[in-house]
Amino acid sequence: MQLKKSLLFFLLLIPAIVLTFAAFQNTLGPDPAEALADQTGEWALRLLLLTLVITPLRKLTGWTQLTQYRRMIGLYTFFYATLHLLVFIAFLLNWQWRELWQELSERPYIVAGFISFVLLIPLAITSTQAWRRRLPRHWKSLHQLVYPAAAIAVLHLCWQVRSDWAEALVYFAILALLLAYRLLANLRH
């Protein structure tokens, strides 16, 4: 099992390694900062949705070992979301805090992305077994923040789309299916 977790750890790190090499080799295209922001954001969203897929997949297949990987995937979600935010602040805003406040006041998709990131912070902090023991009754309800974080992250992506909606609609459809599954499962209980 430890070997599987180690393998997953390195697999989830590959996109960051590839992006780092591409940045150093200057192969990210005409706007490298924008490419880095897009790719780190997409990886954060992909992994966020993957964490939501684990429970339905476990229930449908009976493969209970899947839940052992959710924490690592969730922490990598936070890692890529943090990279996404840092790339935005460092490379697109050049650490100009006044510009950040201006962007937040003028662009609702940036506000949505920021809210989604803020919702992920307590999930990352309380992801350990120690926190689970400290918050016995509240841990599970706290981790329900993953649903609004995912919905707002998809909204963040949708508000940025200018012409090609295909990718945003795929993420929206995946999230809608996952939320519908969760709603139906809750109604049955």
Side-chain angles (χ1 to χ4, degrees):
M1 184 127 103
Q2 190 59 35
L3 180 63
K4 289 178 184 176
K5 282 190 173 182
S6 297
L7 179 61
L8 180 63
F9 179 88
F10 288 110
L11 284 174
L12 295 173
L13 193 57
I14 288 173
I17 293 169
V18 169
L19 286 172
T20 301
F21 278 117
F24 281 113
Q25 294 175 347
N26 201 21
T27 58
L28 288 170
D31 191 349
E34 190 71 35
L36 276 175
D38 289 348
Q39 287 298 310
T40 54
E42 284 183 32
W43 277 106
L45 182 55
R46 288 173 188 147
L47 294 176
L48 182 58
L49 293 176
L50 183 59
T51 63
L52 295 178
V53 166
I54 289 175
T55 296
L57 196 57
R58 177 184 55 87
K59 288 182 178 179
L60 292 171
T61 65
W63 191 24
T64 58
Q65 296 88 350
L66 281 174
T67 55
Q68 299 169 0
Y69 306 110
R70 182 174 29 219
R71 180 174 156 243
M72 185 183 303
I73 296 168
L75 288 172
Y76 263 104
T77 299
F78 185 70
F79 168 71
Y80 283 104
T82 302
L83 286 179
H84 180 62
L85 179 63
L86 288 174
V87 164
F88 175 71
I89 292 170
F91 299 128
L92 295 173
L93 297 181
N94 294 316
W95 300 103
Q96 299 296 316
W97 297 107
R98 248 185 282 163
E99 281 194 41
L100 175 62
W101 300 123
Q102 184 176 346
E103 292 285 327
L104 285 169
S105 67
E106 293 176 1
R107 293 183 170 76
Y109 72 89
I110 293 175
V111 173
F114 188 71
I115 291 170
S116 182
F117 177 77
V118 167
L119 291 174
L120 292 176
I121 293 171
L123 302 181
I125 291 171
T126 63
S127 67
T128 64
Q129 286 298 327
W131 272 104
R132 196 171 193 161
R133 284 190 298 273
R134 280 185 210 144
L135 304 169
R137 292 189 330 246
H138 304 292
W139 187 87
K140 193 170 186 172
S141 59
L142 175 67
H143 280 256
Q144 297 295 311
L145 287 174
V146 70
Y147 298 105
I152 296 168
V154 169
L155 181 64
H156 169 69
L157 175 65
C158 288
W159 271 344
Q160 292 180 66
V161 175
R162 289 178 180 77
S163 60
D164 185 10
W165 280 81
E167 185 177 12
L169 290 175
V170 168
Y171 287 118
F172 178 80
I174 291 169
L175 178 64
L177 285 171
L178 290 169
L179 292 178
Y181 175 86
R182 179 66 66 176
L183 181 64
L184 290 174
N186 286 342
L187 288 176
R188 287 185 195 144
H189 290 94

